[in-house]
Structure formats: C-alpha cells, structure tokens
Amino acid sequence: MEEDIFVKIALGVAQNILRPPYFIKRGSSLLYQITVDNKLDIVVNPKKPKRGQSAFETDLCIYEKVNNDIEIPRVVLEFKKGLSTHDVLIYSSKASKHKEIYPYLRYGLIIGNENKIPGKFFTHNRALDFCVAAKTYKENELEAMLSKLFKAEIKSSRLLESIVFEKLAATIFRNNIEAILNRN
C-alpha cells in the first residue's frame, strides 16, 4: 500500500475517535529550537511554528486545544513506505529535537510496506516512542489498533506533562517494550 493510504486511514481513525479538546492536523509544523537574538528576544512564535523557521513539518499530529491561542502537540505520526537505517536515524533525531521543546510529546512511525519492525529500528532508535509495521494488519484491524494506540499515547503524553511540570512525583521509570510477536 502507498504511504498516503496509511495517512488517510490514520487521519480517519483519529477524526472518528478524538473528541474536544483533542484534534488532529495534517502537515503541521513543530518547533525544534527556540532561539533568542542579540537583544534576547525570541525569534520564533512558539504558538505558530512555521516550517523553515526552526520548525519541522510532521505528517500527522494530535493536539490538545487548551484555549483559542494554545494548541499543545501530544502525538506525532510519521509515515514511511519502508524503513531504512537512514529513516530511523533521521526520525529519531527529529523526535529528539522536538522533545527538547515539548518534553511531553510522543513520537512514532507507521511503516506501510513492512510485515514486522526491522531490527535496525531497535539498533538505531533513540527517541521514537512507537513504531507500527502496518502491512501485517487488515484495514479494520489497523483501525482498531491505531485507535488503541492513539488513546494510549495521549494518556502517556498527559502523564509525562504532569511529571515534567511536577504535578505528579515519579518514583520509578521503565522504558517498556510491548511487542505483538505472533498475531496468529
């Protein structure tokens, strides 16, 4: 299947399950750095990031609308047909840069033409939170899995936000691996 088919499926799932204050955008940009000039003024608008101005464009991003001026990015989804070592390195780096600005952000890949997540993902990944080998799922299975994934990642983002901004105290942390090893 083409990459765009998976984008449309994921977009449709998100539009069906998300309720205010959550919503999804296609092709939105997120900051990867905030710089000050020689007068110590911020040179980008954190509320309206623009590609090419310290911001990277994302395929899909789930946001939480706090008020008319504030939309907090919660989950980024990037889509690839296949997965190369270069892709893992680049997207992991992008995720890391975005998380420097949005420490509660969840970031992942949906791979269209893979039946399994290649080992190179685990070898080279440093900052991606999830990866889906979408080819192994029938369309209705993919939709159900994405629905569950989106809800879980939003919950993780909100929890991270509470911990980062010290509304909750964490006493243990694990980077848990969940894998569906055999779907038969």
Side-chain angles (χ1 to χ4, degrees):
M1 261 194 232
E2 292 296 315
E3 177 180 317
D4 199 47
I5 297 294
F6 289 102
V7 175
K8 287 177 184 172
I9 291 169
L11 182 61
V13 168
Q15 289 169 336
N16 285 335
I17 67 158
L18 296 177
R19 299 291 175 260
Y22 302 103
F23 65 96
I24 192 161
K25 286 184 185 179
R26 187 172 185 171
S28 64
S29 295
L30 297 180
L31 291 171
Y32 60 81
Q33 70 180 16
I34 295 177
T35 307
V36 295
D37 64 15
N38 58 359
K39 295 180 182 153
L40 300 181
D41 292 324
I42 296 174
V43 298
V44 295
N45 182 349
K47 293 180 182 175
K48 297 195 186 289
K50 291 182 183 172
R51 184 175 177 223
Q53 296 178 2
S54 299
F56 294 130
E57 186 175 281
T58 62
D59 289 336
L60 293 177
C61 185
I62 296 172
Y63 288 86
E64 179 180 0
K65 189 173 189 85
V66 175
N67 62 39
N68 288 337
D69 294 336
I70 300 173
E71 298 173 346
I72 297 174
R74 292 284 176 199
V75 183
V76 169
L77 297 115
E78 299 286 5
F79 296 80
K80 298 298 292 175
K81 290 179 186 176
L83 191 67
S84 68
T85 299
H86 181 261
D87 293 330
V88 178
L89 292 169
I90 292 300
Y91 283 100
S92 184
S93 177
K94 287 174 86 171
S96 178
K97 295 297 288 179
H98 286 307
K99 289 178 180 193
E100 290 176 15
I101 306 300
Y102 316 99
Y104 42 79
L105 184 66
R106 305 294 291 170
Y107 209 109
L109 290 174
I110 310 292
I111 314 163
N113 290 335
E114 297 281 352
N115 286 318
K116 65 181 180 94
I117 300 168
K120 60 187 146 205
F121 175 83
F122 301 98
T123 302
H124 300 292
N125 177 43
R126 298 291 176 262
L128 293 166
D129 299 302
F130 60 90
C131 185
V132 175
K135 186 176 179 180
T136 192
Y137 293 92
K138 293 178 181 148
E139 189 169 328
N140 62 336
E141 292 175 323
L142 181 62
E143 290 170 355
M145 183 276 305
L146 288 174
S147 176
K148 183 178 175 184
L149 177 70
F150 295 168
K151 290 172 185 175
E153 292 302 330
I154 290 168
K155 183 178 179 181
S156 292
S157 174
R158 291 187 56 85
L159 181 60
L160 276 170
E161 178 185 31
S162 292
I163 293 168
V164 167
F165 297 110
E166 299 185 9
K167 294 175 186 168
L168 289 177
T171 58
I172 187 170
F173 170 79
R174 287 182 62 235
N175 187 358
N176 191 26
I177 302 296
E178 179 182 337
I180 298 173
L181 301 176
N182 185 351
R183 296 177 0 102
N184 296 329

